[in-house]
Amino acid sequence: MAETWDPEAEGVLQLPSGRLVRGRELRRPLPAGPEPTFAVHLLGGPPPPVAWDSQWLRWPDFRLPTDRAAARAVLEEAWRRAPRERVELACGGGRGRTGTALACLAVLDGVPAGEAVAYVRRNYHPKAVETPWQRRYVVGFAGD
């Protein structure tokens, strides 16, 4: 299996368990360094093709995933793969949908749902999780 991310690399969030996941803005070029081994693209339309394993989660900008069961399954897969692979979550701007998905991974990793958004804002980006409904989605993710 591939190695995980450098915890000091740009956009890499370290979860309490030590898992490393990179959040990324798809509007910018791929950062220097190793490529992901698994990516989840959080987009309203199909993502561009990539050379690594990836999944598309239909998630319109400023909204929520169109299929919550599929979202849970894909995010759980990303969380399971993160200890041994370079997992990346990416949307257009790298903050709203990506931050929301990272906060859901934090919930899976044991961060209390009510604290997950603050955790991601503190450790990934201060403007992560952009809308009130995205914040509510994270809180509800624990019970889905």
Side-chain angles (χ1 to χ4, degrees), residues 72 107 111-113 137-144:
R72 175 167 279 284
V107 169
V111 175
Y137 178 75
V138 172
V139 171
F141 189 79
D144 279 358

Side-chain angles (χ1 to χ4, degrees), residues 49-105:
V50 292
W52 47 87
D53 189 15
S54 67
Q55 291 209 15
W56 169 37
L57 184 56
R58 187 181 294 271
W59 192 328
D61 201 7
F62 296 106
R63 303 213 187 285
L64 299 174
T66 59
D67 182 335
R68 289 183 184 214
R72 175 167 279 284
V74 169
L75 294 175
E76 285 177 349
E77 179 179 358
W79 181 80
R80 280 192 307 273
R81 292 174 77 159
R84 63 190 185 283
E85 296 184 52
R86 288 185 304 274
V87 172
E88 174 181 88
L89 303 180
C91 69
R95 293 186 189 157
R97 294 167 285 181
T98 297
T100 303
L102 288 170
C104 290
L105 292 189

